[in-house]
Amino acid sequence: MSIQFLVTGSINMDLVVATDHLPKTGETTTALQFSTLFGGKGANQAVALGRLRGENGPSIYMAGKIGPDDWGIQCKKNLIEQGIDCSYVGISQASTGIALIEVDSTGNNRIIVVPGANQTMDTTWTKPCLDTLLTEQPMIALFQFEVPRETVAYCAQRIHKAGGIVIVDPAPPDTIGDQWATSIDYLTPNQRETEALTGHYPDSPEAVDRAARVLLSKGIKNVIIKAGASGAWLITHDYTLYCPAFPVSVVDTTAAGDSFNAGFAWALGEHKSLPEALRYACAVGSLSTTSMGAQKAMPDANSVEALLQAWPKIASRQL
Ligand code: RIB
């Protein structure tokens, strides 16, 4: 039976300023460029899955909320154009979510999110979606923390009970309650999120292990720590895998984590092994940094294959 993907999360309009350096407190600097781009961690993950799938393949559903405004209409239209099923994207009274993003000349960024409609996505909105979809095909579900935590917890528990795979990106970081931690198959923090959740900054294999054990001890099944240019670790209860990042020219790291998560989910859907899925995710994440913007930069399956073939020696290895 073919798989279906459900992304439950934020839909934002990104207001992006490119600058040669990020201003210090009290400093004024002049932008090199300003763009209004489609974003939101949830929508980014859905679009990244859509790029990897191409024209045909499994259904990709987005569950989220937009505002009753022009940006909301544009965001939903864009998702539909990318082949995402938006039957569960609703309109709330609050305005569409916004992200203020600054990107410097090295591709590093800073983001402030105004959640707006995303914060109105309560469980009454997601219940009918799950009631329908969980009776259909097996599901791989992706979450992030830009919608209310209770909604993520409720959906994750239901999907886990129904036998689906639950992937949670704890961004921005927040406490993960014990009552639903056991529903998480893969928790995928970046380094700062790992530090916020565990008190350990994972910049060495030892620190990665210490941090991951804190999360695994909550009942989370697997932890993936995304370390940007330093690659990614996948830590299970029994072993640890490490995969380096692929060497690419970085323009903008916005949504690299979202692309990584979509790549990992896609690879699981294709029944790749965990080492292969980790490598695939690293390739997708790396490629997404090579141009400006979140969704604009998501790679298709051909570009990912080309990168994987160009770098056969970059692979996951067990530590
Ligand atoms: O992960 C990148 C995303 O974070 C941006 O697109 C922005 O909307 C924020 O949600």
Side-chain angles (χ1 to χ4, degrees):
M1 205 191 263
S2 100
I3 204 96
Q4 59 180 337
F5 293 91
L6 171 65
V7 184
T8 304
S10 56
I11 301 170
N12 293 337
M13 193 56 100
D14 289 352
L15 310 182
V16 186
V17 174
T19 169
D20 59 359
H21 72 279
L22 303 179
K24 296 194 177 58
T25 306
E27 181 188 350
T28 301
T29 187
T30 304
L32 302 171
Q33 198 190 338
F34 172 75
S35 326
T36 306
L37 300 169
F38 298 114
K41 295 186 194 302
N44 293 345
Q45 295 188 6
V47 168
L49 283 167
R51 289 275 156 75
L52 295 171
R53 176 195 58 185
E55 301 219 333
N56 295 305
S59 301
I60 302 164
Y61 293 92
M62 174 88 214
K65 285 279 182 101
I66 52 172
D69 42 46
D70 198 42
W71 276 347
I73 293 164
Q74 287 180 41
C75 287
K76 184 171 173 184
K77 184 166 169 276
N78 167 62
L79 283 166
I80 292 169
E81 282 168 4
Q82 305 288 325
I84 310 306
D85 188 315
C86 288
S87 311
Y88 302 103
V89 173
I91 301 180
S92 105
Q93 285 315 303
S95 46
T96 299
I98 296 168
L100 308 174
I101 304 183
E102 300 166 350
V103 183
D104 72 13
S105 58
T106 65
N108 287 323
N109 64 43
R110 278 198 313 217
I111 303 180
I112 301 178
V113 171
V114 186
N118 297 305
Q119 274 310 314
T120 69
M121 200 172 72
D122 56 22
T123 53
T124 53
W125 180 250
T126 49
K127 184 178 180 302
C129 161
L130 296 182
D131 288 347
T132 305
L133 296 185
L134 287 177
T135 60
E136 297 174 356
Q137 293 131 313
M139 180 184 283
I140 299 183
L142 295 88
F143 300 94
Q144 326 74 37
F145 281 176
E146 288 185 336
V147 295
R149 213 66 60 252
E150 309 75 60
T151 307
V152 176
Y154 166 79
C155 296
Q157 283 171 295
R158 277 198 64 185
I159 294 165
H160 175 70
K161 249 193 199 150
I165 296 177
V166 174
I167 302 173
V168 177
D169 194 355
D174 196 4
T175 318
I176 298 168
D178 290 341
Q179 78 288 1
W180 72 281
T182 50
S183 303
I184 303 175
D185 293 291
Y186 299 95
L187 186 80
T188 65
N190 66 19
Q191 286 171 296
R192 285 206 188 286
E193 290 150 5
T194 304
E195 184 181 31
L197 292 173
T198 69
H200 303 291
Y201 189 81
D203 54 358
S204 67
E206 296 73 28
V208 162
D209 193 63
R210 262 197 303 278
R213 298 288 146 203
V214 173
L215 298 168
L216 291 173
S217 70
K218 292 173 76 71
I220 294 165
K221 305 217 166 34
N222 304 282
V223 175
I224 297 179
I225 296 179
K226 299 179 284 196
S230 302
W233 284 267
L234 190 159
I235 307 99
T236 74
H237 285 276
D238 305 319
Y239 60 89
T240 297
L241 295 171
Y242 168 72
C243 187
F246 287 79
V248 293
S249 302
V250 176
V251 174
D252 177 9
T253 56
T254 307
D258 301 331
S259 319
F260 179 103
N261 276 42
F264 186 75
W266 182 256
L268 291 185
E270 297 269 282
H271 306 294
K272 291 187 193 293
S273 66
L274 282 188
E276 283 176 340
L278 184 65
R279 180 172 188 249
Y280 194 89
C282 284
V284 177
S286 296
L287 278 172
S288 76
T289 66
T290 57
S291 57
M292 197 72 184
Q295 296 174 22
K296 266 179 67 188
M298 306 297 186
D300 63 16
N302 289 339
S303 333
V304 180
E305 279 313 323
L307 187 68
L308 291 171
Q309 280 180 23
W311 296 95
K313 289 201 174 138
I314 296 189
S316 301
R317 62 170 195 271
Q318 199 167 324
L319 296 184

